[in-house]
Amino acid sequence: MSISCDMLVFGGTGDLALHKLIPALYYLHREKRLHDDVRILAIARQDIDLDAYLTLAERHIRAQITPSDFEADMWKAFSQRLDYFSMDATQRGEFVRLAHHLGQPEGRVRVHYLATAPNLFEPIASNLESAGLAGEEARIVLEKPIGHSLESALEINEAIGNVFPESRIYRIDHYLGKETVQNLMALRFANALFEPIWRSGQIDHVQITVAETLGVEERGSYYDHAGAMRDMLQNHLLQLLCLVAMEAPVRFDAKSIRGEKVKILEALKPITGNDVQDKTVRGQYVAGQIGGNDVQAYYFEKDVDNDSDTETFVAVKAEIDNWRWAGVPFYLRTGKRMAKKRSEIIITFKQVPHMLFTKGEVNRLVIRLQPEESISLQLMAKAPGKGMQLEPVELDLNLAHAFSSTRRWEAYERLLLDVIEGDSTLFMRRDEVEAAWNWVDPILRGWQSHYRKPRPYPAGTDGPDQAHQLIEHQGRKWWR
Ligand code: BG6
């Protein structure tokens, strides 16, 4: 399906647009997935002309993509789709100028991608409406985080909902566009093997780790007000948890999948009162080393307050109060400036009921999302030789090798194409976002009311000691 469309990128000179969206659109163009007619209009306050924007876009595309994928002819053809429009998106009058610039071509989808701070979502939506740019053909894309609390998320959702119906609102969580994340659904729902053991009774606990070596880069002023809970856990990690825990949807479509996910979010056991101290850990990195390079403490990063108490690491013991998962903890952790970049989900099964051998480890299903994509099952096997010496071995499915002839799509490529084609399966519905905030809010409030500075951890480590204690005092361990 190839659809004629105007893609308007608000925040067109920002990090997200230049690092992710424009390179993703370049790839879609290169893969011939964009209708000849698709135009991309980058919008920002910066008063620059189209040539200057093209220079900026080219530089970023070259930096982001595999070097051999940059072809001069391809870039030339792609750049003809690009346009730049300078305006102040808080000024209603400016949208009249924008509407005039766009003209009124018949039958084109119009995508308004808000790659801006959330405080601009409301004014942009209402200004689009008043300029006649929010009609039937228009869709709006919102980047996470949607607000910074349940209350602000409700306000944003309400304001956007007054202009656009839910079916034309696309809330992006780019983790849902990652190949392995979608593979999780294939693994669970296309293989009969797992369903009977995918439950308490067979599963001891689940770990979800999203560790980054990156710091806050140029995003200090945003991050220092957000922190790891709002930036990562409220959205990406909870989405992963939903995909692990949800029931099989009736159909593979937006309504069924999102309906099942929201049931999980609503079943998350609230963490309130003393539980906030017992079941959560906040950390902040101090100076350390990553890959042999010195790294400064978080509070020295650009645009970060010198006595900032924002968490750059968070670990939580979550529990799901439903029949399938009663008694199975989900340990979630994410942090910046950690030892190694890795995102993985570990399903740890229970010990056999009666152990015949001296050494026995439990089975583990390890789903690695990045940097490499793989799924492996840890089984026990007899080591060659005399006696019953058991060792863990891995049954490995390396997805990059299994599909080596196919280029792996970046999450944003898939998601941008879905918006153009009107498929909202991999986007967050309003009630999902609100249910996630509803669970996160009491934790944030608990951190405020029983104030404690974030626990320091040296850059290049696995987070503060307290995060190990969180899992170890129950006789478990973060995997590797
Ligand atoms: C973004 C966060 O949503 O995800 C960033 O705002 C984080 O702080 C990024 O670095 C991580 O994404 P990925 O795809 O690199 O794991």
Side-chain angles (χ1 to χ4, degrees):
M1 187 167 29
S2 172
I3 289 174
S4 165
C5 146
D6 286 339
M7 167 80 63
L8 279 68
V9 182
F10 290 87
T13 52
D15 251 24
L16 175 69
L18 291 169
H19 288 141
K20 300 283 182 193
L21 306 180
I22 300 292
L25 288 162
Y26 171 82
Y27 267 128
L28 288 176
H29 166 86
R30 189 170 176 271
E31 302 259 340
K32 303 198 176 10
R33 302 303 286 256
L34 298 181
H35 190 285
D36 285 346
D37 235 14
V38 169
R39 299 187 299 174
I40 302 157
L41 180 62
I43 299 170
R45 284 174 84 131
Q46 237 173 294
D47 189 15
I48 54 175
D49 62 14
L50 178 58
D51 279 345
Y53 189 74
L54 291 181
T55 309
L56 201 61
E58 181 181 351
R59 176 152 55 83
H60 281 86
I61 292 174
R62 281 179 185 272
Q64 296 301 321
I65 70 173
T66 309
S68 57
D69 291 345
F70 189 90
E71 294 145 86
D73 287 354
M74 196 61 73
W75 158 247
K76 196 160 174 234
F78 175 69
S79 66
Q80 300 191 340
R81 297 180 184 275
L82 284 175
D83 192 4
Y84 180 76
F85 191 77
S86 160
M87 67 181 265
D88 176 352
T90 60
Q91 300 300 312
R92 183 155 292 201
E94 296 276 84
F95 283 74
V96 176
R97 218 165 45 81
L98 175 64
H100 188 70
H101 183 82
L102 290 169
Q104 283 195 321
E106 286 290 301
R108 293 170 73 77
V109 165
R110 191 163 274 165
V111 174
H112 301 294
Y113 197 121
L114 273 45
T116 62
N119 62 338
L120 290 178
F121 292 174
E122 283 180 63
I124 294 180
S126 90
N127 291 342
L128 285 170
E129 185 182 33
S130 66
L133 292 170
E136 288 286 299
E137 71 298 339
R139 298 172 190 164
I140 190 159
V141 185
L142 308 177
E143 264 294 329
K144 58 119 284 234
I146 310 287
H148 56 271
S149 61
L150 176 60
E151 195 189 346
S152 53
L154 285 168
E155 264 171 33
I156 292 175
N157 281 337
E158 199 56 39
I160 303 290
N162 285 336
V163 179
F164 292 89
E166 183 63 26
S167 59
R168 291 197 273 116
I169 303 176
Y170 294 75
R171 298 180 193 81
I172 285 228
D173 180 316
H174 77 280
Y175 267 54
L176 294 177
K178 289 185 190 276
E179 289 282 2
T180 332
V181 175
Q182 293 162 52
N183 240 315
L184 192 55
M185 289 193 267
L187 181 83
R188 288 196 56 202
F189 305 128
N191 296 292
L193 201 63
F194 294 110
E195 172 52 23
I197 54 170
W198 208 262
R199 55 189 67 251
S200 71
Q202 273 69 36
I203 292 180
D204 178 74
H205 74 281
V206 176
Q207 300 181 12
I208 301 180
T209 295
V210 178
E212 299 183 83
T213 49
L214 280 183
V216 292
E217 314 304 301
E218 298 299 312
R219 300 162 68 230
S221 55
Y222 149 74
Y223 193 88
D224 208 32
H225 289 104
M229 180 61 112
R230 294 184 174 93
D231 185 50
M232 296 292 287
L233 200 138
Q234 188 270 347
N235 33 79
H236 302 327
L237 276 85
L238 285 186
Q239 285 294 322
L240 296 179
L241 175 144
C242 286
L243 295 178
V244 172
M246 72 194 220
E247 295 300 316
V250 177
R251 273 177 289 280
F252 195 82
D253 63 16
K255 183 162 179 268
S256 314
I257 292 181
R258 301 194 298 181
E260 293 304 335
K261 283 197 292 168
V262 87
K263 286 187 206 159
I264 293 294
L265 293 167
E266 285 170 351
L268 281 170
K269 188 176 185 150
I271 300 184
T272 54
N274 288 341
D275 276 355
V276 176
Q277 302 299 330
D278 296 345
K279 296 185 178 172
T280 73
V281 175
R282 310 166 70 217
Q284 188 188 82
Y285 64 84
V286 294
Q289 279 212 330
I290 301 182
N293 298 318
D294 288 340
V295 169
Q296 64 181 355
Y298 171 71
Y299 45 79
F300 286 139
E301 298 276 10
K302 185 167 160 231
D303 299 329
V304 167
D305 202 350
N306 275 352
D307 32 65
S308 167
D309 64 356
T310 299
E311 78 286 353
T312 59
F313 173 97
V314 62
V316 176
K317 178 185 173 199
E319 288 155 290
I320 301 170
D321 273 343
N322 70 10
W323 201 308
R324 187 186 285 269
W325 295 111
V328 181
F330 281 65
Y331 296 98
L332 315 177
R333 66 175 170 167
T334 180
K336 296 218 175 270
R337 293 291 195 213
M338 292 180 67
K340 220 177 137 215
K341 177 168 173 77
R342 64 193 172 116
S343 303
E344 54 195 24
I345 301 170
I346 323 275
I347 317 282
T348 304
F349 292 91
K350 290 207 159 135
Q351 187 61 274
V352 293
H354 174 58
M355 179 49 79
L356 301 177
F357 310 103
T358 46
K359 182 175 169 195
E361 273 204 39
V362 292
N363 301 129
R364 283 191 185 86
L365 182 68
V366 179
I367 302 161
R368 290 195 189 89
L369 312 177
Q370 52 192 25
E372 73 280 11
E373 294 176 38
S374 67
I375 298 176
S376 71
L377 184 60
Q378 180 183 294
L379 299 170
M380 293 307 288
K382 178 190 167 306
K386 190 171 171 299
M388 282 301 281
Q389 194 61 38
L390 300 198
E391 293 295 337
V393 286
E394 284 187 9
L395 205 60
D396 244 326
L397 174 60
N398 183 319
L399 293 167
H401 286 170
F403 300 103
S404 58
S405 59
T406 324
R407 187 180 69 82
R408 316 296 285 162
W409 280 39
E410 281 291 324
Y412 278 102
E413 293 174 45
R414 163 76 200 253
L415 296 174
L416 283 166
L417 200 56
D418 281 356
V419 178
I420 295 175
E421 292 177 354
D423 179 352
S424 45
T425 309
L426 297 179
F427 296 82
M428 294 181 294
R429 206 167 60 191
R430 174 177 183 162
D431 51 355
E432 280 182 78
V433 174
E434 293 172 2
W437 278 121
N438 195 37
W439 184 73
V440 161
D441 255 12
I443 304 180
L444 293 168
R445 279 201 301 273
W447 286 347
Q448 267 178 1
S449 56
H450 294 91
Y451 179 75
R452 188 184 269 170
K453 262 196 138 357
R455 313 287 189 167
Y457 62 98
T461 62
D462 279 340
D465 292 344
Q466 288 76 7
H468 294 279
Q469 287 152 18
L470 176 78
I471 185 165
E472 281 166 13
H473 85 250
Q474 296 180 311
R476 303 178 173 115
K477 247 181 132 147
W478 292 112
W479 194 68
R480 292 201 184 143

